[in-house]
Amino acid sequence: MGSNSSRISDLPKNEYLKKLSGTESVSENDPFWNQLLSFSFPAPTSSTELKLLEEATVSVCRSLVENNPRTGNLGALIKVFLSRTKELKLSAECQNHIFIWQTHNALFIICCLLKVFICEMSEEELQLHFTYEEKSPGSYSSDSEDLLEELLCSLMQLITDIPLLDITYEISVEAISTVVVFLSCQLFHKEVLRQSVSQKYLMQGRCLPYTSKLVKTLLYNFIRQEKPPPTGAHVFSQQSDGGGLLYGLASGVATGLWTVFTLGSVGSKAATTPELSSPLANQSLLLLLVLANLTDAPDAPNPYRQAIMSFKNTQDNSPFPSSTPHAFQINFNSLYTALCEQQTSDQATLLLYTLLHQNSNIRTYMLARTDMENLVLPILEILYHVEERNSHHVYMALIILLILTEDDGFNRSIHEVILKNITWYSERVLTEISLGSLLILVVIRTIQYNMTRTRDKYLHTNCLAALANMSAQFRSLHQYAAQRIISLFSLLSKKHNKVLEQATQSLRGSLSSNDVPLPDYAQDLNVIEEVIRMMLEIINSCLTNSLHHNPNLVYALLYKRDLFEQFRTHPSFQDIMQNIDLVITFFSSRLLQAGAELSVERVLEIIKQGVVALPKDRLKKFPELKFKYVEEEQPEEFFIPYVWSLVYNSAIGLYWNPQDIQLFTMDSD
């Protein structure tokens, strides 16, 4: 291929790659490895670049798959890497750039090879490739040493123990990516894997003691959001006299592997999105989510989920229960801040959901915060821009709100937080509004969007459940929030009348034609009546528990009182309508006594005076509205495909051919 090749298409002809994948065995002590690993290669930064790289090297990988049983070169490469990792920490402390650079290159090649191996063979076949040695054709090692387990343990040590410096940043990212690749066999199966080989290694044996340390490290990587070293801080520039030593080594020894060759414009500034500004944080979060959603082993629960469920605040001095495995402590304030700042990405929202749902320590801490608006506002913004978000992201945001609204303290406190100038809310200028009223507005808007677009009953149910949980604690509702509550009821009322009319016409039509299948209007009517019932219960709960705090809601009720007339005698709503009818009748009477042509201010004044005079014992008591989020019976059927779709779309430095993916449906290439 020549020493100055700069084209990706030349990679399959590269002499070092051909030797690695060829029919000749290479001893782990051969000088060849220093030559192979002394390349200077700017890491691919986009799926396009990664696709080009994969297409160019796939023939090399397949050649190695074919020849490795006879040569054992994969095992030799891994042993070279393992021998280097033992000195990696010392090399970082001594700023040994060349050693770290070559070790990173070894891991980069291993990761590229593994990705192809895992895609093209079963896990059992992959295990065999780790056992082949330089012996007679087809033979393999019978030693007790398990190279695959040793590699995984080494990666966990590298992630948790190597100090994060400019010169170790890339190898830390590569180590995390390689663990993700090890678990990526799930991508190539339609069914959720419950006993994969890679899971077994990570959840027991020599890797198990690293559980809590790994989870803690990944969380701190997410918290710190460390950006990669600047382009100018490449290993070359760290050397003496302009870095001639390393550049000379790269160009002289690694003749034309990836020395001159680049993918795109390396020095140019790529447009970065907030969630990708830190590759280390991004990869760490994805790996953490993958580990947290591994299925339990038949004889043991997922240790990574156990660690996520039990970690505590660094300020919590109480002892861990003896029954709590893999426990550790982390700074909750730093974690809270990072979660608030990173909610633009699916994966950060999924992490927030996971922690709120599974870790009671985190949930208690967050609900006690006096700055909950920093967390709630980004979640509301996700829901507000529902048209731009995927359905999973919207569900996660909504479930987070549902979990938060299970707490009465939260429901009270959000009405005490006053916000000014919410710029992203465009339907109306909100110069001043409580966080509680804004939450109501956004949830109602989500319901209305769902009614006209997606028509998802699950989304409806969770939105209404969050409103119901809050309803008894509604305080000083903004006039616009009160209007939107009644407007939503108006919309539901119109929809109810329309479906009822369609059902009546359909029934008449069925008398004249028995051959035409009829739409199931009865089911539609049942669903809409369930939603109307829920809305009436929400309004009733507010009137019963906090009437004196909400004159704006009473005003909106009176303004649209005709809406409720048709439901007074409806058998499905008679009981719940009693209190609403009483309030409307009582205040309507007082307004009539006050005369005609009353100003808005005068009406509100009459309402506030009337609240004191209304006999509370006349309001019928109903059971408190309380809805608790309950996870599905088999949550892994939802979460595992979701997590891996995030990995597929968000992982930096990893590319899989869409045609190979089996776990979820690809919308496009």
Side-chain angles (χ1 to χ4, degrees), residues 584-596:
I584 290 173
T585 304
F586 176 83
F587 284 100
S588 294
S589 172
R590 293 183 75 90
L591 290 176
L592 279 173
Q593 293 172 19

Side-chain angles (χ1 to χ4, degrees), residues 223-327:
I223 289 169
R224 289 169 180 146
Q225 293 290 316
E226 293 280 358
K227 292 179 170 53
T231 308
H234 194 274
V235 285
F236 295 155
S237 63
Q238 312 268 344
Q239 305 305 310
S240 60
D241 298 323
L245 168 64
L246 194 55
Y247 185 78
L249 182 67
S251 57
V253 178
T255 50
L257 177 54
W258 287 314
T259 317
V260 185
F261 145 106
T262 61
L263 292 174
S265 179
V266 180
S268 63
K269 289 185 178 178
T272 56
T273 54
E275 63 266 29
L276 300 185
S277 61
S278 172
L280 181 64
N282 185 74
Q283 302 296 84
S284 295
L285 179 51
L286 291 172
L287 176 57
L288 183 64
L289 292 172
V290 169
L291 293 172
N293 287 282
L294 294 177
T295 55
D296 294 336
D299 53 348
N302 177 349
Y304 302 97
R305 190 181 301 121
Q306 286 183 313
I308 286 169
M309 290 172 65
S310 60
F311 71 83
K312 298 194 307 184
N313 195 353
T314 47
Q315 296 179 352
D316 186 347
N317 296 320
S318 61
F320 283 102
S322 56
S323 59
T324 305
H326 315 298

Side-chain angles (χ1 to χ4, degrees), residues 558 561 565 568 577-593 614 618:
L558 294 172
R561 54 181 172 265
E565 190 66 33
R568 289 175 61 193
M577 275 298 301
Q578 288 180 30
N579 287 342
I580 297 172
D581 192 37
L582 173 64
V583 169
I584 290 173
T585 304
F586 176 83
F587 284 100
S588 294
S589 172
R590 293 183 75 90
L591 290 176
L592 279 173
Q593 293 172 19
L614 177 66
R618 290 178 61 189

Side-chain angles (χ1 to χ4, degrees), residues 155-197:
L155 291 172
M156 295 177 90
Q157 282 180 310
L158 196 161
I159 295 166
T160 57
D161 292 349
I162 302 303
L164 187 60
L165 308 168
D166 277 1
I167 59 171
T168 60
Y169 189 97
E170 292 301 332
I171 195 170
S172 297
V173 173
E174 201 64 48
I176 293 168
S177 296
T178 306
V179 178
V180 172
V181 167
F182 260 116
L183 293 162
S184 66
C185 53
Q186 176 64 81
L187 282 171
F188 313 111
H189 293 80
K190 288 184 179 179
E191 303 80 19
V192 168
L193 294 179
R194 300 183 184 277
Q195 297 183 46
S196 73
V197 172

Side-chain angles (χ1 to χ4, degrees), residues 9 88 94 137 163 185 220 315 377 484 494 513 546-547 557 626:
S9 58
L88 201 55
C94 299
C185 53
Y220 268 126
Q315 296 179 352
L377 281 173
R484 298 310 295 162
K494 290 175 183 174
S513 174
S546 54
L547 178 65
L557 268 175
K626 271 298 170 189

Side-chain angles (χ1 to χ4, degrees), residues 479-494:
Q479 62 179 27
Y480 186 51
Q483 289 170 20
R484 298 310 295 162
I485 291 172
I486 305 305
S487 294
L488 174 59
F489 186 81
S490 174
L491 185 66
L492 292 166
S493 176
K494 290 175 183 174

Side-chain angles (χ1 to χ4, degrees), residues 268-508:
S268 63
K269 289 185 178 178
T272 56
T273 54
E275 63 266 29
L276 300 185
S277 61
S278 172
L280 181 64
N282 185 74
Q283 302 296 84
S284 295
L285 179 51
L286 291 172
L287 176 57
L288 183 64
L289 292 172
V290 169
L291 293 172
N293 287 282
L294 294 177
T295 55
D296 294 336
D299 53 348
N302 177 349
Y304 302 97
R305 190 181 301 121
Q306 286 183 313
I308 286 169
M309 290 172 65
S310 60
F311 71 83
K312 298 194 307 184
N313 195 353
T314 47
Q315 296 179 352
D316 186 347
N317 296 320
S318 61
F320 283 102
S322 56
S323 59
T324 305
H326 315 298
F328 64 91
Q329 290 178 288
I330 203 166
N331 188 309
F332 277 14
N333 182 59
S334 300
L335 179 57
Y336 178 81
T337 301
L339 286 166
C340 292
E341 292 174 350
Q342 299 299 320
Q343 286 307 307
T344 51
S345 73
D346 278 71
Q347 48 266 40
T349 305
L350 181 53
L351 175 63
L352 174 57
Y353 158 78
T354 302
L355 295 177
L356 271 176
H357 178 54
Q358 298 185 1
N359 190 312
S360 59
N361 300 320
I362 278 280
R363 186 165 59 251
T364 301
Y365 173 85
M366 288 187 176
L367 289 169
R369 294 282 301 206
T370 57
D371 60 348
M372 276 298 288
E373 67 272 18
N374 292 336
L375 186 68
V376 175
L377 281 173
I379 299 300
L380 294 183
E381 200 167 349
I382 292 168
L383 292 175
Y384 185 79
H385 296 294
V386 60
E387 304 94 336
E388 302 164 17
R389 305 290 181 179
N390 68 69
S391 60
H392 289 357
H393 199 183
V394 172
Y395 283 147
M396 289 299 101
L398 192 53
I399 292 169
I400 287 167
L401 286 186
L402 180 56
I403 292 171
L404 293 174
T405 60
E406 291 171 14
D407 182 77
D408 285 340
F410 171 83
N411 295 331
R412 283 191 297 272
S413 66
I414 55 175
H415 292 287
E416 297 166 4
V417 178
I418 304 301
L419 308 167
K420 295 182 185 295
N421 299 317
I422 308 301
T423 54
W424 48 262
Y425 194 95
S426 59
E427 273 87 345
R428 179 165 172 155
V429 176
L430 300 174
T431 53
E432 187 172 289
I433 189 171
S434 72
L435 179 61
S437 288
L438 181 64
L439 196 159
I440 292 166
L441 285 175
V442 172
V443 171
I444 287 175
R445 185 180 184 275
T446 306
I447 294 173
Q448 291 178 322
Y449 174 83
N450 186 50
M451 285 176 65
T452 57
R453 304 285 183 87
T454 53
R455 300 183 181 182
D456 187 324
K457 185 181 177 182
Y458 179 80
L459 192 143
H460 254 12
T461 303
N462 283 287
C463 283
L464 291 167
L467 289 176
N469 285 346
M470 296 167 59
S471 59
Q473 308 291 339
F474 283 173
R475 294 290 187 276
S476 304
L477 288 184
H478 190 282
Q479 62 179 27
Y480 186 51
Q483 289 170 20
R484 298 310 295 162
I485 291 172
I486 305 305
S487 294
L488 174 59
F489 186 81
S490 174
L491 185 66
L492 292 166
S493 176
K494 290 175 183 174
K495 190 170 181 63
H496 178 266
N497 293 340
K498 183 179 179 181
V499 173
L500 193 59
E501 184 182 344
Q502 288 173 332
T504 305
Q505 291 177 351
S506 174
L507 189 61
R508 287 172 184 160

